[in-house]
Amino acid sequence: MSRDLIVHLARFAGALRAGGVRVSTGDEVDALRALLLSDLGDPEDVRLSLRCSLKVRPRDERTFEALFARYWLGGEAPARARPAAEHGPGNPRPPPNPLGGEAPADGEREIEVPEGEELGSSREALLKRKHFDRCDERDLAEIERLMARLAERLATRKGRRLAPVHGRGRPDPRRSLRRALATGGEVISFARRDHPVETPRLVVICDTSGSMEAHGRFLLAFARSLKRVAKQTEVFAFNTELVRITQLLAGPEERVLGALSAAVPDWSGGTRIGESLEAFASRHLSELVDSRTVVVVFSDGLERGDPELLADALRRIQARARRLIWLNPLLSDPRYEPTARGMAAALPFVDELAPAHDLASLERLLPHLRS
Amino acid sequence: MRPEIRALQEAMAREGYIADDAIATALLLAGDLQKPLLVEGDAGVGKTEIAKVLARLRSTELIRLQCYEGLDVSTALYEWNYPRQMLRVRMAEREGQDATQMEQAVFGRSYLLERPLLRAISRREGPAVLLVDEVDRADEAFEAFLLEVLSDFQVTIPELGTIRAEHVPYVILTSNCTREIGDALRRRCLYLHVDHPSLEKEVAILTARVPGAKKALALQIGRFLRALRARRLMRRPGVAESIDWAQALVRLHVDELDLVSVRTTLGCIVKDRRDQHDLDEAELARLVAEARQEEALAS
């Protein structure tokens, strides 16, 4: 087995990681085994083998292809890789960052430590009532932690399988018979099983347009914490276009916001609520929303497009979902009446219109999310 | 390309499946590394067909596990044959056997009903092809349960102990991406993403799968579908649909696409009321013209 090949593969995997592709050591082992079976003289064979064994998904394809061209076709071909002795097993030298930039090593995180201040209960209470648009960076870090705690209250993780229960439920032959052995094969009482309480299924659709900018980050943070506890949560962002961001939220903290603004076109731009919700209704409604799903829309309802379109989309979503909740940060203003064109059109199809301007208001939302 | 890959492609083509290099490489690797292959892609791009063709190629049994929400161990793995166990217990009673003996007898292999996963593992005649279809429909707890089976190819039954695979089966998992598959499962598999086919590939598939289809018709169908898939649709038609459509057109003795034949057979490829509504006469005429115009340019 060629050591050069191993070193080269490890460098390539490192470069993929630096480029944001998740590659585990197990993937590298698979890739090496695949390479040993492949024809190393044939670049196409090497490319396809690597793509399959490193489990490259469509969204990572570009990064993979660019780095593949660099590492396996261009300058750093395996044959020309520097001799292994230079960085022997005991003394591995970090491979040169192929992207040229000074990207921090994977796993190295910037953790914001609030100076001297412990998260005390009075401060906590204050934060809960603090308007999102008046919070600064430091408040944000603390609020995100608070949110995670809030969302944990949702963590009533229960399966959908049949689980043993007392009393009512369907007969469970396996356990009944097992029990019957104790009484000489005579089934005296049936063991029963039933579906346990279901976990919440959520679909969160966030408005990230300019008018929502101050709130957008907090609401996304909330969506993120919800995602952590209720596994079946799907998150979308929209302003002029709808983008599914569930997978982006899974990354490490500091990378998420950057990835989001890259993925969502026109981040903090104008809004087309109607078209975005219509896009959601046509593309995702049938697969993501069923009668157990709660759909949450975060938006101020300042619609510039056709309110008819918005009303139609909401009607379709409401018909399928268990509940449709609309969170509107403007509601905190006592003078506000939901008369903005979009909001007025939306009202008949919304099960619940609630404020979302501070943490306390989000907290009140939690009971509605439990299905 | 390695000769093995070419050979595999040709063999699959003989079975009526046109596999591009990526598919053939992935299949070959999955066999060589003895790892499951996770195939993702839109509905109808031929993911399930890969497993069927593989089973025919290896002339072995195809064992299929269709996933759905709430799928549990007793449907996927094994179940005890309760009625038989009951009978046995009754008979034992009459003969006056003691409880330990009876229990040993009742929880033996012969009272075990094998469900797909267990059957795939315990097949004696050689490796089977195990198709775990639409794994994204099952819930996450089931995914976790698949891990033991797919990484070690063994199954633990409390009453019997651990059953190891006689032959490691070829495992193919498919997913329509309605839900993200967990990383733990993903890591145990090799990965293949199947896209909608290129025009050449689709034409090759149509001519291979629909005996009566002439090359010209296949080309027009391919172009029509390519234009159709580029539109915003609720459901994008896959290759399965285009094969159905070609068969329908051949059956109706249509040699060339025209507005009437497309309109009457539209149900083969557009299976949503809204989509059908959006495709009005003018729009269809444009698509048909597009499918035929390039014909004129080519010749």
Side-chain angles (χ1 to χ4, degrees):
Chain A
M1 196 182 297
S2 153
R3 175 165 284 278
D4 278 357
L5 183 66
I6 300 175
V7 172
H8 193 71
L9 179 65
R11 281 210 195 127
F12 178 59
L16 282 173
R17 280 191 206 109
V21 183
R22 265 187 289 172
V23 179
S24 70
T25 316
D27 297 338
E28 285 180 63
V29 173
D30 286 346
L32 186 63
R33 289 176 64 197
L35 280 183
L36 291 175
L37 290 167
S38 73
D39 174 6
L40 287 174
D42 179 352
E44 185 60 10
D45 193 9
V46 172
R47 187 177 72 88
L48 292 173
S49 301
L50 281 176
R51 210 168 71 169
C52 176
S53 54
L54 288 172
K55 295 111 196 171
V56 178
R57 290 183 239 183
R59 66 162 189 263
D60 298 328
E61 215 159 274
R62 259 211 212 142
T63 318
F64 174 83
E65 296 298 343
L67 288 172
F68 180 80
R70 229 186 124 90
Y71 275 71
W72 301 88
L73 305 175
E76 259 181 281
R80 283 180 46 204
R82 262 153 278 163
E86 212 179 295
H87 30 168
N91 177 27
R93 220 178 47 182
N97 186 344
L99 295 173
E102 297 209 335
D106 198 51
E108 195 180 298
R109 288 183 183 196
E110 281 180 29
I111 300 163
E112 285 198 9
V113 184
E115 298 155 19
E117 227 158 347
E118 275 290 291
L119 186 68
S121 63
S122 62
R123 176 151 171 75
E124 191 170 310
L126 262 178
L127 273 174
K128 275 191 182 179
R129 302 239 161 253
K130 194 162 183 177
H131 246 261
F132 283 151
D133 46 7
R134 285 197 287 276
C135 291
D136 58 18
E137 283 295 311
R138 262 189 42 204
D139 291 340
L140 182 118
E142 289 189 11
I143 281 182
E144 278 184 6
R145 259 187 295 162
L146 256 177
M147 276 180 180
R149 288 227 304 264
L150 274 185
E152 264 164 36
R153 291 192 204 161
L154 262 181
T156 44
R157 175 76 187 148
K158 297 211 172 130
R160 292 202 4 80
R161 313 295 178 75
L162 290 167
V165 291
H166 290 291
R168 294 156 64 89
R170 326 179 180 176
D172 180 351
R174 177 185 290 188
R175 281 174 53 247
S176 301
L177 193 81
R178 260 291 214 220
R179 287 214 301 225
L181 283 176
T183 48
E186 201 66 58
V187 178
I188 291 171
S189 71
F190 271 118
R192 292 179 185 275
R193 53 185 185 167
D194 206 349
H195 288 290
V197 180
E198 290 159 353
T199 28
R201 282 166 64 110
L202 300 176
V203 172
V204 181
I205 307 175
C206 288
D207 186 343
T208 62
S209 63
S211 59
M212 287 286 285
E213 175 145 43
H215 314 282
R217 285 190 66 183
F218 298 99
L219 298 178
L220 275 180
F222 185 58
R224 220 172 113 90
S225 350
L226 287 179
K227 170 80 189 143
R228 244 179 253 143
V229 288
K231 291 267 158 30
Q232 297 183 333
T233 300
E234 290 288 337
V235 187
F236 292 82
F238 72 89
N239 37 61
T240 51
E241 228 179 280
L242 182 82
V243 183
R244 187 173 184 170
I245 55 172
T246 313
Q247 288 153 21
L248 297 179
L249 293 181
E253 203 101 12
E254 66 278 3
R255 223 183 272 157
V256 170
L257 266 177
L260 282 181
S261 32
V264 185
D266 216 4
W267 181 268
S268 301
T271 338
R272 278 203 289 251
I273 307 178
E275 275 174 44
S276 303
L277 289 182
E278 165 64 29
F280 172 78
S282 2
R283 272 187 260 145
H284 303 289
L285 196 61
S286 56
E287 59 187 55
L288 295 181
V289 178
D290 60 20
S291 54
R292 290 178 294 120
T293 313
V294 177
V295 178
V296 182
V297 179
F298 285 129
S299 172
D300 52 16
L302 296 179
E303 166 70 317
R304 274 169 229 164
D306 179 8
E308 270 305 298
L309 197 62
L310 175 64
D312 183 50
L314 286 174
R315 183 187 300 125
R316 285 167 64 194
I317 295 173
Q318 193 203 23
R320 239 186 118 88
R322 162 166 298 208
R323 294 178 80 78
L324 174 57
I325 300 176
W326 188 300
L327 293 181
N328 190 334
L330 295 183
L331 277 188
S332 65
D333 189 339
R335 287 161 301 175
Y336 175 80
E337 292 268 320
T339 46
R341 276 208 309 158
M343 214 54 246
L347 264 183
F349 309 109
V350 174
D351 293 314
E352 189 104 19
L353 180 66
H357 54 284
D358 59 12
L359 215 48
S361 61
L362 290 184
E363 194 175 7
R364 280 198 294 275
L365 172 69
L366 287 181
H368 296 296
L369 298 184
R370 255 177 254 244
S371 29
Chain B
M1 239 346 89
R2 268 181 287 167
E4 300 100 290
I5 294 181
R6 284 272 162 273
L8 182 60
Q9 276 175 330
E10 279 158 22
M12 287 175 82
R14 277 196 296 278
E15 293 292 337
Y17 192 93
I18 310 295
D20 55 26
D21 293 348
I23 294 178
T25 308
L27 267 184
L28 201 66
L29 276 179
D32 286 351
L33 301 184
Q34 298 202 329
K35 285 203 138 202
L37 178 64
L38 171 63
V39 187
E40 279 189 340
D42 280 353
V45 293
K47 300 184 294 292
T48 305
E49 201 61 27
I50 292 180
K52 292 186 184 165
V53 169
L54 185 67
R56 286 207 295 273
L57 276 186
R58 305 272 183 251
S59 35
T60 179
E61 186 186 358
L62 174 72
I63 298 170
R64 178 170 180 164
L65 175 64
Q66 172 67 49
C67 295
Y68 53 88
E69 217 180 327
L71 177 66
D72 59 5
V73 173
S74 60
T75 348
L77 195 55
Y78 70 93
E79 180 73 304
W80 291 103
N81 190 342
Y82 303 113
R84 269 194 77 189
Q85 282 180 325
M86 288 286 195
L87 280 175
R88 180 76 174 81
V89 169
R90 292 271 173 229
M91 277 157 61
E93 243 173 22
R94 220 166 285 162
E95 289 159 19
Q97 279 181 6
D98 72 8
T100 335
Q101 259 183 338
M102 183 164 68
E103 183 167 346
Q104 268 171 3
V106 162
F107 289 105
R109 265 312 260 275
S110 54
Y111 291 87
L112 196 65
L113 294 173
E114 292 182 348
R115 303 293 195 216
L117 289 180
L118 184 58
R119 200 164 72 235
I121 280 184
S122 58
R123 188 173 190 268
R124 281 165 197 280
E125 302 89 63
V129 173
L130 172 64
L131 169 65
V132 183
D133 214 5
E134 303 187 321
V135 69
D136 51 334
R137 280 179 197 268
D139 44 28
E140 281 167 352
F142 182 73
E143 245 179 56
F145 156 77
L146 270 183
L147 295 180
E148 185 195 5
V149 182
L150 295 188
S151 54
D152 304 332
F153 295 103
Q154 64 176 37
V155 161
T156 308
I157 299 175
E159 294 89 347
L160 279 181
T162 302
I163 297 177
R164 289 209 167 65
E166 310 250 334
H167 305 275
V168 173
Y170 302 97
V171 185
I172 293 189
L173 299 100
T174 73
S175 159
N176 287 336
C177 313
T178 57
R179 179 173 70 78
E180 182 86 329
I181 304 298
D183 268 2
L185 182 58
R186 215 174 262 278
R187 238 176 268 133
R188 279 164 178 81
C189 304
L190 296 177
Y191 179 77
L192 172 68
H193 182 266
V194 183
D195 225 334
H196 286 286
S198 63
L199 180 61
E200 293 75 39
K201 191 179 161 189
E202 185 150 28
V203 172
I205 293 171
L206 287 177
T207 36
R209 292 298 293 270
V210 186
K214 296 201 177 64
K215 183 96 195 286
L217 180 66
L219 253 173
Q220 287 186 356
I221 293 176
R223 287 205 202 98
F224 189 93
L225 275 145
R226 195 177 50 168
L228 192 64
R229 287 187 194 121
R231 292 173 51 90
R232 262 186 57 185
L233 293 173
M234 293 273 279
R235 300 210 190 293
R236 280 207 285 172
V239 183
E241 269 95 357
S242 63
I243 292 176
D244 282 352
W245 195 34
Q247 274 165 346
L249 290 172
V250 167
R251 179 79 182 73
L252 296 172
H253 306 292
V254 175
D255 291 329
E256 277 200 328
L257 290 187
D258 56 50
L259 199 52
V260 180
S261 60
V262 170
R263 179 93 261 177
T264 47
T265 53
L266 199 60
C268 296
I269 44 173
V270 182
K271 299 178 178 171
D272 184 87
R273 192 175 56 87
R274 258 167 183 267
D275 288 347
Q276 285 214 348
H277 179 77
D278 288 349
L279 288 167
D280 52 17
E281 290 292 312
E283 200 50 47
L284 275 184
R286 199 181 60 76
L287 288 174
V288 170
E290 202 170 308
R292 294 176 56 126
Q293 193 178 13
E294 288 176 41
E295 187 83 355
L297 284 177
S299 62

